[in-house]
């Protein structure tokens, strides 16, 4: 095997959904945008649908078409970007539900698909997507008469439980949706963990399904094994990798493995992370390059044929912290060169 191997544990993913679902008394959906957070929207959505998920969320209509192929007729697929120009045929053909974000989108939907279901997205303070309070006040009676499937908004700071923005947005969303008959949704993974006040009628976990924070109880969903191309001896004082950023302080054995930032293992990660031979950590040394990573295997009794960089000891959030980013970015940056396998 000359390429890195990505193993995706669908049983763990489904278990994470069950665990989050158990914390609520309302419907628990699943966010499968960005190709199932990089893990394959088809297998991910299919596994969740078999477990009983009846509502899925995607970013754009094209993603929704792929999810529909995986889950078949029946489940609801909500599109966060709403009804964009050019989306009409996709929405109709694949029975997708756009979450309307603006008066312009509302008019487009009425004109193009007057009898097609839709939802509404409200801006409760994040200033990203959704109808502004003034637009909602003007349109909500007309919208309500058309029986929207969902009225949703999104929390800006749910991964910080004590952030005052959470209560501010909760108050705003309650005020904006007072008296509406449609189901309401405010909570993604972080919002679920904030408690029942944020749950309303439907919760829509994303990152927590895939093993990421802020769901600390999540089971790891992916492992990545990196094949070793070469092991070489490096003497004291010799350097490794671009920029001479690592210098050997002892006679060392350095393994070069087949992966790099083209595979979503960001150059910024650098030192501070390990790979593993079984349970034995082996530190990454030098800079991560496009296709190669160098690892100190001096303390191993033999040269390994592969090293694992993601496992139960080291998570996507550990890699993210080393890179100065978030686990979402690590997951969704996973490249296409991996040899992929699914555990069901």
């Amino acid at each position: 095997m000359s390429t890195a191997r990505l193993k995706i544990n669908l049983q763990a993913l489904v278990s994470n959904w069950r665990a989050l679902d158990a914390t609520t008394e309302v419907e628990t959906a699943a966010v499968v945008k960005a190709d199932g957070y990089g893990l394959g929207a088809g297998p991910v959505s299919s596994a969740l649908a078999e477990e009983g998920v009846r509502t899925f969320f995607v970013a754009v209509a094209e993603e929704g078409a792929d999810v529909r192929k995986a889950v078949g007729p029946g489940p609801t697929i909500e599109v966060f970007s709403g009804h964009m120009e050019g989306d009409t045929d996709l929405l109709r053909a694949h029975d997708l539900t756009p979450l309307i974000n603006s008066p312009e989108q509302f008019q487009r939907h009425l004109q193009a698909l007057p009898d097609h279901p839709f939802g509404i997205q409200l801006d409760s303070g994040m200033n990203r997507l959704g109808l502004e309070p003034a637009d909602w006040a003007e349109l909500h009676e007309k919208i309500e008469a058309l029986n929207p499937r969902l009225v949703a908004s999104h929390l800006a700071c749910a991964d910080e439980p004590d952030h005052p923005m959470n209560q501010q947005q909760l108050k705003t969303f309650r005020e904006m949706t007072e008296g509406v008959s449609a189901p309401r949704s405010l909570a993604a993974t972080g919002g679920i963990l904030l408690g029942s006040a944020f749950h309303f009628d439907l919760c829509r976990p994303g990152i927590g399904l895939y093993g990421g924070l802020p769901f600390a109880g999540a089971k790891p969903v992916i492992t990545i094994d990196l094949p070793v191309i070469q092991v070489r001896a490096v003497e004291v004082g010799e350097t490794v990798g671009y920029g001479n950023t690592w210098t050997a302080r002892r006679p060392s054995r350095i393994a070069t493995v087949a992966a790099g930032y083209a595979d979503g293992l960001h150059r910024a990660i650098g030192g501070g992370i390990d790979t593993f031979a079984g349970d034995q950590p082996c530190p990454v040394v030098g800079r991560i390059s496009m296709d190669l990573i160098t690892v100190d295997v001096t303390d191993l009794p033999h040269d390994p044929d592969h090293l694992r960089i993601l496992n139960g000891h080291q998570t996507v959030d550990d890699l993210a912290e080393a890179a100065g980013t978030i686990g979402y970015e690590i997951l969704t940056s996973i490249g296409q060169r991996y040899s992929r396998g699914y555990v069901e």
Side-chain angles (χ1 to χ4, degrees), residues 182-195:
R184 295 178 291 174
S185 177
L186 181 62
T189 300
I192 292 174
L193 301 175
L194 290 176

Side-chain angles (χ1 to χ4, degrees), residues 149-316:
R149 281 191 171 179
L150 188 71
V151 177
S153 190
H154 196 67
L155 295 166
C157 302
D159 57 344
E160 302 176 57
D162 296 326
H163 199 292
M165 186 67 168
N166 295 320
Q167 293 299 325
Q168 179 180 323
Q169 285 192 263
L170 176 61
K171 180 175 182 291
T172 299
F173 186 64
R174 280 176 171 161
E175 291 172 350
M176 292 180 74
T177 60
E178 184 177 2
V180 303
S181 57
R184 295 178 291 174
S185 177
L186 181 62
T189 300
I192 292 174
L193 301 175
L194 290 176
S196 60
F198 290 82
H199 294 174
F200 291 92
D201 303 296
L202 179 145
C203 295
R204 46 180 207 273
I207 188 65
L209 304 180
Y210 306 95
L213 294 173
F215 182 29
K219 293 182 178 179
V221 172
I222 65 174
T223 57
I224 293 180
D225 289 313
L226 312 177
V228 175
I229 301 173
Q230 182 180 15
V231 179
R232 70 191 321 112
V234 175
E235 299 302 325
V236 174
E238 289 191 293
T239 59
V240 172
Y242 284 120
N244 293 356
T245 60
W246 186 83
T247 302
R249 297 181 179 179
R250 61 175 178 169
S252 302
R253 294 189 352 266
I254 302 299
T256 300
V257 299
Y261 56 75
D263 305 288
L265 301 172
H266 301 323
R267 183 176 182 271
I269 291 173
I273 63 165
D274 297 312
T275 61
F276 292 82
D279 291 329
Q280 175 67 43
C282 303
V284 170
V285 297
R287 285 183 179 162
I288 292 174
S289 53
M290 183 183 292
D291 315 299
L292 302 170
I293 298 173
T294 43
V295 178
D296 187 350
V297 295
T298 309
D299 294 329
L300 294 182
H302 54 78
D303 292 345
D305 58 10
H306 72 275
L307 293 164
R308 181 165 288 185
I309 196 167
L310 280 177
N311 58 9
H313 301 290
Q314 186 165 263
T315 69
V316 291

Side-chain angles (χ1 to χ4, degrees), residues 57-75:
F57 288 83
V58 296
V60 295
E62 288 82 356
E63 292 180 344
D66 291 336
V67 173
R68 178 61 72 200
K69 293 174 186 176
V71 303

